[in-house]
Amino acid sequence: MTTEPRSSLEIERKYDVEAATAVPDWSTLPGVASVGEPEPRELDARYLDTADGRLAEALTALRRRTGGPDAGWHVKRSTPEGKLETHWPLDDADESAPVEVPEAIIAELAEVAQPPFEVIARIRNSRTAFALLDAEGGMVAEFVDDRVTATDERSGRTTSWREWELELGPAAPSTAAGVAELFAAADELVASVGGAPAASESKLGRALGR
């Protein structure tokens, strides 16, 4: 793997919703003028860690995901500002073969964990994404409606649920006050249709019962 990785900071809000919960009108959020057409995505991710959970201990997640516009390898680190994600393109591995972590990613993780890495969870997600746009067509945020099936590979336990995510985009508010106002309005909108802030910080955490 020779392509240089790219990094981005994800600032998002996650919500737990029931299977039949109606999607609210996101165009009522501050700064949002319109909602783009739904974009379906079928995502399949395998998450890895060491046998003794060194990555989890370092608040870091490693996954290889197929499907969607950001298919590839991802290292996600939790920070006070949000989740710092570093992304590499997919390798040419046989999808039916055991997952092997590329050397570039092993080097990236060297300060917190050493191989061998093993698959700890598989998360499959039928996602529908919507761009929330301002009056000039800039993306204020992306809303995704996720229907998730996850398997804890160590215990064999499989769970399914539905959740929503709202992730800030390039045209999001530029101040902390503006971001807080946007997310507060989103919280109210989700509550109005029966949803609530997610009980688990991540899909991986929920898959593993954390």
Side-chain angles (χ1 to χ4, degrees), residues 11-13 15 166 168 178-188:
I11 302 175
E12 62 186 15
R13 193 81 112 214
Y15 301 97
L166 188 67
L168 298 186
V179 169
E181 179 187 10
L182 177 65
F183 280 140
D187 290 351
E188 291 184 8

Side-chain angles (χ1 to χ4, degrees), residues 147-150 158-162 206:
R147 295 177 186 271
V148 183
T149 299
T158 296
T159 50
S160 297
W161 67 91
R162 184 183 181 202
R206 185 161 179 172

Side-chain angles (χ1 to χ4, degrees), residues 123-136:
I123 298 179
R124 284 166 283 190
N125 182 10
S126 291
R127 166 172 288 182
T128 306
F130 300 81
L132 309 188
L133 307 173
D134 63 18
E136 288 73 42

Side-chain angles (χ1 to χ4, degrees), residues 12-200:
E12 62 186 15
R13 193 81 112 214
K14 298 167 68 69
Y15 301 97
D16 291 332
V17 293
E18 298 296 329
T21 302
V23 174
D25 181 4
W26 291 103
S27 67
T28 62
L29 291 185
V32 177
S34 64
V35 178
E37 292 298 314
E39 179 185 333
R41 302 170 184 169
E42 293 298 323
L43 312 177
D44 188 349
R46 288 171 172 81
Y47 287 77
L48 300 97
D49 202 343
T50 61
D52 55 357
R54 292 297 178 90
L55 293 181
E57 185 179 313
L59 302 179
T60 299
L62 168 64
R63 75 180 176 206
R64 183 185 188 275
R65 188 166 76 182
T66 59
D70 65 343
W73 284 92
H74 306 95
V75 171
K76 301 184 77 167
R77 298 176 173 90
S78 295
T79 76
E81 294 77 26
K83 290 187 177 179
L84 180 62
E85 179 177 292
T86 306
H87 173 272
W88 292 260
L90 279 178
D91 45 38
D92 297 325
D94 181 346
E95 294 298 324
S96 64
V99 179
E100 294 188 10
V101 181
E103 290 298 326
I105 298 173
I106 291 175
E108 178 78 15
L109 296 170
E111 291 187 1
V112 295
Q114 298 288 337
F117 297 101
E118 60 185 47
V119 176
I120 57 171
R122 182 179 185 181
I123 298 179
R124 284 166 283 190
N125 182 10
S126 291
R127 166 172 288 182
T128 306
F130 300 81
L132 309 188
L133 307 173
D134 63 18
E136 288 73 42
M139 185 186 291
V140 177
E142 182 181 60
F143 163 67
V144 297
D145 184 356
D146 288 344
R147 295 177 186 271
V148 183
T149 299
T151 301
D152 180 335
E153 294 291 346
R154 291 170 171 170
S155 69
R157 185 177 70 105
T158 296
T159 50
S160 297
W161 67 91
R162 184 183 181 202
E163 70 178 44
W164 293 344
E165 291 182 7
L166 188 67
E167 182 180 337
L168 298 186
S174 58
T175 65
V179 169
E181 179 187 10
L182 177 65
F183 280 140
D187 290 351
E188 291 184 8
L189 192 59
V190 171
S192 74
V193 296
S200 184

